[in-house]
Amino acid sequence: MRKIVIDAKSEKNVISRNIYGHFSEHLGRCIYQGIFVGDDPEIPNVNGMRTDVVEALKRIRVPVLRWPGGCFADEYHWKDGVGPKETRKRMVNTHWGGVVEDNSFGTHEFLEFCRQVGCEPYINGNLGSGTVQEMSEWVEYMTFDGVSPMAEWRKKNGREEPWKVKYFAVGNENWGCGGNMRPEFYADQFRRYQTYLRNFGGNRLFKIACGPSGDDYDWTEKVMEIAGRYADGIALHYYTVPLGDWAHKGSATGFTTEVYFDTLARALKMEELVARHTAVMDKYDPKARVGLLVDEWGAWYDVEPGTNPGFLYQQNTMRDAMVAALTLHIFNKHSDRVVMANIAQMVNVLQSVILTEGRKMLLTPTYHVFDLLKAHQDAVLLPTEYETQEIGEGEAGIPDLSASASRNEAGEIHLTLVNPDPEKGLEISLVFAGAGERRFSARVLKGNAGDHNTFEDPDRVRIVPFALPEPEGETLTFRIPACSVTEVTAS
Ligand code: AHR
């Protein structure tokens, strides 16, 4: 029996909705086919955007979407992707699969997609191979409301009003694919490029510096020291790779129990990373003005057999649901510093919430986790006490429970619970201290660790109602299933 006490009378900080953000890249079938189908008459779309995908994303209230990369961002020249489609450059996507990039999805299309989904755009500028002028003009093109060459060009291309674009990153992984820079050099470049990213009219940019890879605390230290005062955020990247073996990441669907525990233990490393990078940031920014973004995270496996290795297409199981829920709980817990996170990637690449095949679409177990946890968006984090026991073995030992609670504006309390044990259910005794009289309801996602949805069986893994007993006073006692994520609502 695990006792969980939620202190409903106290409160912590607000959990930014942007923690539940996503990432889209010109990679494999993420943009083309996954999001954008142009004028394909076979697939229902509005202005080229897949209606099924847009509707599914609206249901999980996607708050923010990062684009166009990833490694693609530092090779992307935005001017190639505006203006009449016939004249847009056709080129090779050198990073991802060597396929033709016809630039038919560019700035206007991305911002139209965000409009349809109802999310904020987050644009990643090209520092690695782009100029200061090019980056500066991109912001001018999108957001300037006066008379200027870029604003005129935007109008000529069919968009009279400027867009509002808040989130803008200066380069991606500039320690690697974004130019192999040293932190001192990058930090100076950041200072220079960001100078020319202007706030036009009522638009206020939130400028994001390239942050570290995983546990590279030195990168954070140097960038914060040299450029911290010019940045609003710094972006950490961390991927969960089974056994830490990039050469043999293993199958997304076929794995042993040992690899299952290892994967979750590596996902949980996010806690240490966030805490230690925060400690470095605290040295230079004790008032936490600069936000920590984790703008790429998720599980990374071998591609599905028979698919283009450069497309990074992988299936998604209940193991991924565990990775997602445990990671999002960590972000909730550290939401006094973590202001945004973007799972990689939205559709058809790495830990996607949606997979498509022609006209067909399926929702992955990870999608359902975003659905179960969406009530935490912009809600107040509540102190939640509980004890855990270790399951798994050795370095792959993990706590047998994770819980996160918040209260939304309407006063409802939402608690999400993760039982990562692949075989055993867990008895829970839940105390809502000081919550007063409430009505309780619950939903659950459960299965075997390898369970997943296919185009033939798209609803094998899905959320189902979860029956709760009557409370005894302030206490509810029930058993959560093995390998499950449960949402309890107290209204
Ligand atoms: O998400 C795939 C790639 O992983 C991104 O393009 C890059 O930023 C990271 O290395």
Side-chain angles (χ1 to χ4, degrees):
M1 170 85 79
R2 296 281 170 284
K3 184 173 181 183
I4 303 176
V5 181
I6 300 169
D7 182 355
K9 284 231 161 110
S10 315
E11 48 186 54
K12 295 186 162 182
N13 54 280
V14 170
I15 301 167
S16 169
R17 65 177 180 277
N18 290 335
I19 282 176
Y20 292 82
H22 292 256
F23 168 40
S24 58
E25 180 163 11
H26 288 243
L27 196 181
R29 295 184 303 110
C30 180
I31 301 290
Y32 301 110
Q33 298 178 39
I35 288 174
F36 184 69
V37 291
D39 49 15
D40 185 341
E42 296 297 309
I43 302 179
N45 68 85
V46 175
N47 298 331
M49 313 300 157
R50 286 185 74 126
T51 304
D52 52 358
V53 169
V54 168
E55 290 307 316
L57 295 173
K58 278 159 70 175
R59 288 198 293 277
I60 53 169
R61 293 191 218 134
V62 169
V64 65
L65 179 60
R66 176 173 180 246
W67 172 85
C71 293
F72 185 81
D74 282 282
E75 282 198 274
Y76 182 61
H77 299 284
W78 69 270
K79 292 181 185 176
D80 296 340
V82 298
K85 295 260 163 95
E86 332 60 90
T87 59
R88 293 192 193 177
K89 278 188 195 157
R90 288 169 64 80
M91 53 183 57
V92 176
N93 186 333
T94 39
H95 258 292
W96 304 119
V99 291
V100 173
E101 165 62 61
D102 69 3
N103 280 300
S104 56
F105 189 95
T107 304
H108 290 247
E109 290 75 21
F110 172 65
L111 293 165
E112 165 62 8
F113 182 66
C114 291
R115 185 193 67 78
Q116 290 190 24
V117 171
C119 67
E120 283 213 57
Y122 165 12
I123 299 229
N124 205 120
N126 175 350
L127 171 78
S129 70
T131 64
V132 176
Q133 181 181 3
E134 181 184 3
M135 192 184 284
S136 163
E137 286 183 339
W138 200 0
V139 172
E140 180 187 328
Y141 183 92
M142 293 185 289
T143 64
F144 188 50
D145 50 1
V147 178
S148 83
M150 291 302 114
E152 292 310 310
W153 194 24
R154 181 190 70 233
K155 290 175 192 171
K156 198 169 150 226
N157 288 335
R159 172 79 187 193
E160 189 64 29
E161 294 297 311
W163 288 280
K164 283 267 183 287
V165 176
K166 180 174 176 183
Y167 299 105
F168 197 97
V170 180
N172 165 75
E173 296 195 353
N174 302 94
W175 35 261
C177 64
N180 288 308
M181 299 172 190
R182 292 173 304 116
E184 296 87 346
F185 181 79
Y186 171 75
D188 279 337
Q189 292 299 312
F190 177 83
R191 288 168 64 128
R192 177 173 172 235
Y193 275 67
Q194 69 78 33
T195 305
Y196 303 95
L197 303 179
R198 310 289 189 194
N199 289 324
F200 293 113
N203 195 66
R204 288 285 166 276
L205 292 173
F206 182 98
K207 297 173 186 173
I208 298 154
C210 165
S213 169
D215 59 3
D216 186 354
Y217 302 109
D218 183 54
W219 180 279
T220 304
E221 181 94 39
K222 302 251 167 60
V223 172
M224 283 301 293
E225 183 185 359
I226 300 167
R229 65 183 174 281
Y230 300 96
D232 298 303
I234 181 165
L236 160 71
H237 287 184
Y238 175 65
Y239 285 100
T240 297
V241 175
L243 305 174
D245 185 352
W246 283 87
H248 308 98
K249 297 182 281 297
S251 160
T253 50
F255 47 87
T256 61
T257 304
E258 188 191 342
V259 169
Y260 170 83
F261 278 116
D262 176 88
T263 308
L264 300 197
R266 285 174 195 279
L268 286 165
K269 189 168 161 60
M270 185 68 86
E271 171 113 44
E272 178 191 325
L273 296 177
V274 165
R276 290 188 60 187
H277 285 294
T278 296
V280 176
M281 293 172 78
D282 284 346
K283 268 172 67 181
Y284 299 94
D285 176 37
K287 294 198 171 140
R289 185 193 60 79
V290 182
L292 179 62
L293 292 82
V294 188
D295 68 7
E296 287 187 30
W297 68 273
W300 195 325
Y301 310 121
D302 289 342
V303 299
E304 288 305 302
T307 64
N308 185 333
F311 280 16
L312 310 185
Y313 176 72
Q314 66 189 39
Q315 250 291 1
N316 196 291
T317 66
M318 280 302 293
R319 172 174 62 164
D320 297 281
M322 298 295 115
V323 169
L326 293 171
T327 307
L328 290 165
H329 277 187
I330 292 168
F331 296 152
N332 282 358
K333 182 172 167 193
H334 293 272
S335 51
D336 51 345
R337 183 64 93 160
V338 179
V339 297
M340 189 192 291
N342 309 76
I343 191 168
Q345 286 138 332
M346 188 177 243
V347 190
N348 291 335
V349 177
L350 300 182
Q351 194 175 343
S352 299
V353 291
I354 291 175
L355 302 179
T356 68
E357 195 179 84
R359 283 177 67 93
K360 296 184 196 158
M361 179 195 82
L362 67 78
L363 308 175
T364 66
T366 299
Y367 174 95
H368 294 303
V369 169
F370 276 81
D371 192 346
L372 286 170
L373 271 65
K374 68 187 175 196
H376 292 312
Q377 292 189 26
D378 282 345
V380 176
L381 184 66
L382 296 178
T384 304
E385 300 284 329
Y386 58 97
E387 286 182 357
T388 61
Q389 285 178 12
E390 191 171 288
I391 51 172
E393 275 173 27
E395 289 193 2
I398 62 168
D400 62 352
L401 174 67
S402 171
S404 187
S406 66
R407 183 175 51 235
N408 67 12
E409 270 200 336
E412 288 174 336
I413 295 173
H414 290 95
L415 168 73
T416 44
L417 299 166
V418 185
N419 176 9
D421 193 306
E423 275 157 19
K424 292 196 204 109
L426 190 62
E427 203 75 29
I428 300 287
S429 148
L430 188 56
V431 182
F432 284 88
E437 210 169 295
R438 300 269 178 168
R439 275 200 332 250
F440 295 97
S441 60
R443 308 186 288 161
V444 70
L445 181 75
K446 60 182 173 161
N448 296 315
D451 283 355
H452 57 281
N453 292 330
T454 63
F455 293 101
E456 292 70 42
D457 191 3
D459 284 326
R460 184 183 167 87
V461 181
R462 66 195 165 92
I463 297 172
V464 293
F466 183 74
L468 290 171
E470 283 299 313
E472 288 176 25
E474 286 183 328
T475 307
L476 265 177
T477 307
F478 55 92
R479 187 177 179 81
I480 50 174
C483 196
S484 68
V485 183
T486 307
E487 179 205 37
V488 178
T489 301
S491 39

